[in-house]
Amino acid sequence: MRSETTRKWKNDNVHKKRQRRQTTENTEENECCRSVAGVRGRNWRRMEAALAELERVQTRILQRISDLEVEVEVAVSHLPLSEARALVQREAAVVSSIVQGVSELELESDTEARLSSILRSNGVKEFSFKRVPSDYYDWPLEARRDALAAPSVHHLCKSIVLVNTQAQSNVVDCSDCNNSKYYVVVVQYSARFNAESVKNFLYSLNDGKIAKKKFNLRLAPEETSVKLTGYEHNAVTCIGMKTDIPVILDEAITKLNPDFFWLGGGEVDLKLGIRTSEFINSVKPFVVSCSGI
């Protein structure tokens, strides 16, 4: 009797072990299947993302070529024949480099995407971004002009943040664009900025109700500029700033021919080119004669 009970107990144990082994094998098989399916799913998602990225890059290339064609057409209609030919040659070289360097084309950065969205939402259509080498600011203006395929060095501009060091004690921010603590001035690299002209403009803008000595515009410290704009040195642009700082556009820029100029694009190696008339309609700057060549 005891022997039969022992035998039955052993048989039950063997059966249970077989069941556990089978369960373990099934579990491992299921996990393996799920793992394979997961890998396949991830690979498929990566493939879809890569294809979408490729399509976006191709679209961007076509748009850049289209933008260049527009710039050439506008420029050729206003320039002497010899200058027009030179411009066409430069643009052709740019197009060639774009087509040949598709595999090396840098993807659109978050900054470029954000600023593009802001510009489009403000009705700006004629603008473009261009990457430049890291040593761009070590180059002479003529080399920078060629890198951006700009018509002249006078089409290269910068945005500088100014602070009114003599502002009234109650003027501490940018809430009053007529009497702001800070201003952003867009001026040509080839021009000499005249702070006195801005001082006289602001005095007149306030109908002489604020003493002229209360306007003293100086270059803001770099840390202040970064804090207000969100952009580092050599990357400042008046598009998408952290603070809504009033903008002053040098009148000389409005007289450029063709009316398409370049300025900082939010990153040190990113430049923004924009149609002057659309810039004015979008940013709504004060247009002031505040420089001399």
Side-chain angles (χ1 to χ4, degrees):
M1 183 70 176
R2 182 178 300 173
S3 176
E4 185 177 348
T5 302
T6 302
R7 189 166 51 252
K8 183 178 180 181
W9 177 79
K10 288 182 178 180
N11 288 338
D12 288 343
N13 279 344
V14 170
H15 180 66
K16 288 179 181 179
K17 287 181 180 179
R18 286 176 179 173
Q19 284 184 323
R20 284 197 297 270
R21 189 183 303 116
Q22 185 65 43
T23 300
T24 301
E25 290 174 352
N26 290 340
T27 300
E28 291 175 348
E29 183 177 355
N30 290 337
E31 288 178 351
C32 182
C33 289
R34 284 195 295 270
S35 178
V36 171
V39 170
R40 288 176 177 173
R42 286 194 295 273
N43 288 340
W44 178 252
R45 286 193 294 273
R46 287 171 184 163
M47 185 182 298
E48 286 184 320
L51 290 173
E53 192 61 49
L54 177 59
E55 182 179 0
R56 189 182 65 78
V57 170
Q58 290 173 333
T59 302
R60 183 183 174 199
I61 291 172
L62 293 174
Q63 182 60 52
R64 288 184 65 182
I65 292 175
S66 177
D67 291 342
L68 288 172
E69 290 175 343
V70 171
E71 292 175 32
V72 170
E73 289 176 359
V74 173
V76 168
S77 64
H78 294 86
L79 293 175
L81 182 59
S82 60
E83 294 183 25
R85 285 176 177 170
L87 177 60
V88 169
Q89 290 175 349
R90 287 203 302 270
E91 298 292 3
V94 172
V95 172
S96 177
S97 66
I98 291 174
V99 174
Q100 294 176 5
V102 172
S103 61
E104 298 178 0
L105 185 67
E106 292 188 48
L107 301 180
E108 184 180 80
S109 67
D110 291 340
T111 300
E112 183 176 342
R114 182 176 69 87
L115 297 187
S116 295
S117 177
I118 292 173
L119 289 168
R120 292 192 184 99
S121 66
N122 288 334
V124 179
K125 297 179 180 178
E126 294 187 66
F127 69 91
S128 63
F129 287 91
K130 186 170 291 188
R131 288 282 174 187
V132 295
S134 58
D135 60 346
Y136 172 85
Y137 283 103
D138 295 330
W139 299 357
L141 291 180
E142 290 76 14
R144 300 185 203 177
R145 172 202 62 198
D146 294 342
L148 296 174
S152 75
V153 295
H154 306 306
H155 287 74
L156 309 179
C157 304
K158 58 184 175 181
S159 303
I160 56 177
V161 179
L162 302 180
V163 55
N164 183 0
T165 61
Q166 297 298 320
Q168 297 163 299
S169 58
N170 62 321
V171 178
V172 296
D173 55 25
C174 305
S175 56
D176 182 359
C177 61
N178 290 352
N179 185 24
S180 176
K181 180 71 173 179
Y182 304 96
Y183 287 91
V184 170
V185 176
V186 182
V187 65
Q188 296 159 295
Y189 273 101
S190 60
R192 178 177 296 179
F193 173 64
N194 188 337
E196 193 68 21
S197 297
V198 175
K199 174 180 179 177
N200 293 334
F201 167 75
L202 294 175
Y203 175 73
S204 299
L205 185 64
N206 288 275
D207 299 321
K209 296 178 181 178
I210 301 175
K212 187 175 287 189
K213 65 180 181 180
K214 291 298 181 180
F215 298 105
N216 185 48
L217 283 301
R218 292 290 181 266
L219 189 66
E222 186 174 342
E223 59 271 20
T224 301
S225 176
V226 172
K227 181 179 179 180
L228 292 173
T229 65
Y231 304 121
E232 61 180 308
H233 181 59
N234 285 336
V236 178
T237 184
C238 43
I239 309 298
M241 295 183 292
K242 280 187 175 181
T243 308
D244 188 15
I245 311 175
V247 177
I248 295 174
L249 179 69
D250 184 19
E251 185 180 41
I253 298 174
T254 67
K255 299 178 181 179
L256 289 172
N257 186 12
D259 63 332
F260 189 97
F261 69 97
W262 290 87
L263 68 163
E267 297 177 17
V268 175
D269 62 347
L270 185 64
K271 304 305 158 195
L272 166 63
I274 187 170
R275 183 70 60 195
T276 311
S277 55
E278 292 195 340
F279 175 87
I280 293 173
N281 290 337
S282 172
V283 178
K284 295 178 174 52
F286 294 113
V287 178
V288 182
S289 178
C290 57
S291 72
I293 302 297

